[in-house]
C-alpha cells in the first residue's frame, strides 16, 4: 500500500516537472520563466523528500533544506534583477 502511494506521488511529481519544464521553455516572458523555474525547484524538493522517505536516509532532507534556501535566494535575486533594482 505504501509503495503504491509513493509510486503515485512519484508519477504526479514527474508530470508536474514536465509541465513546469514546458512552461520554462515556452514562457511568453521572463517572469513566467522565473515562476516556472521556482516551481521546478519546489517539485524537485518534493522529489528529494520523497526519495529520503522511501530509502530511509535523513541526510537527504538536509540537502533538500539547503537546496530550498538557495533556490529562494536565487528567485529573489532574479526578481530584483527583472525589476531593474539590482
Amino acid at each position: 500500500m505504501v509503495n503504491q502511494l509513493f509510486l503515485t506521488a512519484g508519477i504526479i511529481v514527474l508530470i508536474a516537472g514536465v509541465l513546469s519544464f514546458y512552461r520554462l521553455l515556452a514562457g511568453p516572458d521572463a517572469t513566467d520563466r522565473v515562476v516556472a523555474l521556482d516551481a521546478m525547484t519546489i517539485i524537485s524538493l518534493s522529489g528529494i523528500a520523497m526519495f529520503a522517505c522511501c530509502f530511509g536516509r535523513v541526510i537527504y532532507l538536509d540537502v533538500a533544506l539547503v537546496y530550498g534556501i538557495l533556490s529562494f535566494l536565487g528567485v529573489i535575486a532574479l526578481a530584483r534583477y527583472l525589476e531593474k533594482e539590482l
Side-chain angles (χ1 to χ4, degrees):
M1 181 69 177
V2 174
N3 290 335
Q4 290 176 349
L5 182 67
F6 280 125
L7 180 65
T8 305
I11 291 170
I12 291 171
V13 166
L14 184 66
I15 291 170
V18 168
L19 291 174
S20 293
F21 187 70
Y22 172 74
R23 178 51 58 193
L24 181 70
L25 294 178
D29 56 352
T31 55
D32 286 336
R33 290 185 171 106
V34 170
V35 170
L37 183 66
D38 189 38
M40 286 179 64
T41 58
I42 292 169
I43 291 165
S44 65
L45 284 172
S46 64
I48 292 170
M50 195 169 51
F51 183 80
C53 189
C54 282
F55 293 105
R57 304 285 299 200
V58 182
I59 190 71
Y60 293 126
L61 294 177
D62 295 334
V63 170
L65 182 66
V66 171
Y67 181 56
I69 291 169
L70 291 175
S71 168
F72 174 73
L73 292 175
V75 168
I76 294 297
L78 281 172
R80 301 263 326 221
Y81 175 75
L82 290 175
E83 289 181 350
K84 308 288 190 248
E85 292 182 9
L86 188 65

